[in-house]
Amino acid sequence: MGLLNYTSGRFLAVAKNIHYLATLRSLKPGEDHRVLKEVQKSAVYDSLYEDGFLLGHEVLKILISRAEEGHISDKWMNVIMAIAGDPRVSKQNERYIRWWSQMPESLIRKVRGWLSKLDLRLFLEALKNYAVVSNDQDLSRMYPSRKKFLEGLLKQELIISTRLFLTEGARDYLYRHYKKEHLPSFSIVDGDKSIIYFSMPGVHIVEGTHMCKFWIYRKLSDSAAVFNYNRNRFVYSELTNGMNLSMVKQKVGKALAAVTHNGSWQVKVLKELHKVGVEFDPEPLLLRHDYIKYRDSGYL
């Protein structure tokens, strides 16, 4: 048919696009395929599709729409991150304008939910790695209970949104183990303590590695440091004591509690969450001995 005469033109590009999209539509949710690597190439996802949209826009819609609401495989998530990056950035961000501004809000919400899980996983990984490299026995001993608690909140679908603040050391660790383009957006915090912010129904939480306190807020103003996406570097105190003082100064209200990570910190946190009406099942959040403490405290 003489098709070899068109191997470097628009014909081949369109044929490849049809092949890529048809393959993606045929995959089972989460299924791996070599096409997933192909569509992460800028020459592919930046190619014209139709009606002014790029191929990457259609790839994003297919993968996000077809993935399960509460779970997406790493292979599929890597494609989304490589093409469009994290949607939880300023709407003035160049990549947000190029990609996410063209996506339905329902699909963006889906991605934000998956990224909250990824944020939490990376935060716990940074926590565990620091405990190992620093030979911090106290931190290593606390790790299982902190992991179970935070993952338990996530499994009960209590975590609505998250934001990561990593130390330079934690950032370098992740860069050694992940491709940069596959990582979610995060900011740098000075010092040696990484921090994760997350919101839950009716409350806001700031939690950190090491002995950082577990801060619980009823409200935060829009100007709170954790909502400032125009900066990518923060001082540790801005996100902890400084933010609490700022909320007091703005008459938003001080933190409901700042719980120190000691032997019964989970019980204290759950008591505070119970007071403000957060509904949860305590047993999946706690190791057995901690659950007994909570049960005996009279909150069950």
Side-chain angles (χ1 to χ4, degrees):
M1 296 175 64
L3 296 181
L4 290 177
N5 296 325
Y6 304 95
T7 55
S8 61
R10 178 67 178 155
F11 172 83
L12 181 63
V14 172
K16 283 185 175 181
N17 288 354
I18 293 172
H19 167 66
Y20 292 143
L21 298 181
T23 301
L24 293 178
R25 292 188 182 106
S26 71
L27 297 179
K28 297 176 182 177
E31 183 180 353
D32 194 11
H33 193 283
R34 60 180 178 80
V35 162
L36 296 175
K37 289 186 178 180
E38 287 292 312
V39 296
Q40 292 184 54
K41 298 175 181 177
S42 59
V44 175
Y45 64 70
D46 277 336
S47 62
L48 288 174
Y49 178 56
E50 60 182 28
D51 298 330
F53 288 95
L54 303 177
L55 185 73
H57 290 121
E58 192 64 19
V59 170
L60 292 171
K61 288 178 182 177
I62 291 171
L63 294 182
I64 299 170
S65 298
R66 299 192 68 244
E68 298 173 13
E69 187 72 31
H71 172 74
I72 187 171
S73 70
D74 286 346
K75 299 290 185 182
W76 283 32
M77 195 67 203
N78 287 345
V79 176
I80 295 169
M81 297 302 290
I83 294 175
D86 195 325
R88 304 168 304 171
V89 295
S90 168
K91 292 187 178 180
Q92 307 306 313
N93 181 283
E94 184 179 342
R95 291 184 80 184
Y96 186 95
I97 294 171
R98 183 178 182 82
W99 299 107
W100 295 113
S101 67
Q102 309 300 316
M103 293 291 113
E105 182 60 32
S106 60
L107 297 188
I108 296 176
R109 282 198 301 270
K110 215 173 172 183
V111 175
R112 286 176 181 149
W114 296 328
L115 287 172
S116 290
K117 292 186 176 182
L118 181 55
D119 280 350
L120 190 59
R121 189 178 87 190
L122 296 177
F123 173 77
L124 289 169
E125 197 169 324
L127 176 64
K128 184 177 182 180
N129 175 67
Y130 183 85
V132 172
V133 298
S134 64
N135 196 29
D136 190 322
Q137 298 301 314
D138 288 336
L139 199 56
S140 295
R141 187 170 57 254
M142 285 193 300
Y143 177 78
S145 61
R146 294 176 77 170
K147 182 175 187 291
K148 187 171 180 64
F149 189 84
L150 294 176
E151 288 184 344
L153 293 176
L154 194 61
K155 288 176 182 176
Q156 293 185 47
E157 299 183 351
L158 290 171
I159 295 179
I160 300 170
S161 62
T162 57
R163 186 178 180 187
L164 266 181
F165 302 85
L166 299 176
T167 64
E168 292 182 340
R171 174 201 61 192
D172 294 343
Y173 167 80
L174 294 181
Y175 282 174
R176 289 194 299 272
H177 293 82
Y178 298 87
K179 290 185 177 180
K180 290 182 182 181
E181 62 267 28
H182 293 162
L183 289 169
S185 175
F186 60 83
S187 296
I188 296 297
V189 57
D190 293 339
D192 62 354
K193 300 178 182 68
S194 294
I195 283 175
I196 187 169
Y197 155 80
F198 56 93
S199 63
M200 295 170 59
V203 290
H204 301 267
I205 307 294
V206 174
E207 157 77 315
T209 57
H210 308 42
M211 297 303 290
C212 175
K213 294 178 180 178
F214 196 104
W215 297 83
I216 305 173
Y217 294 88
R218 185 63 164 168
K219 293 181 181 180
L220 288 176
S221 71
D222 291 341
S223 63
V226 292
F227 299 143
N228 189 341
Y229 287 93
N230 295 317
R231 292 174 55 193
N232 58 14
R233 193 174 195 103
F234 294 82
V235 176
Y236 174 78
S237 60
E238 288 181 273
L239 304 168
T240 51
N241 288 316
M243 195 164 76
N244 186 41
L245 292 174
S246 177
M247 293 305 101
V248 172
K249 186 176 181 180
Q250 295 179 47
K251 298 183 179 179
V252 175
K254 68 177 182 178
L256 298 175
V259 180
T260 302
H261 286 92
N262 56 26
S264 58
W265 67 272
Q266 307 98 311
V267 174
K268 294 176 182 177
V269 168
L270 290 182
K271 285 182 179 180
E272 294 297 331
L273 296 181
H274 184 273
K275 287 178 184 177
V276 296
V278 177
E279 296 182 3
F280 54 83
D281 180 0
E283 191 166 6
L285 304 175
L286 304 169
L287 297 175
R288 184 61 187 168
H289 63 278
D290 293 319
Y291 175 71
I292 292 173
K293 287 181 185 177
Y294 183 76
R295 182 194 63 191
D296 293 345
S297 69
Y299 273 83
L300 286 178

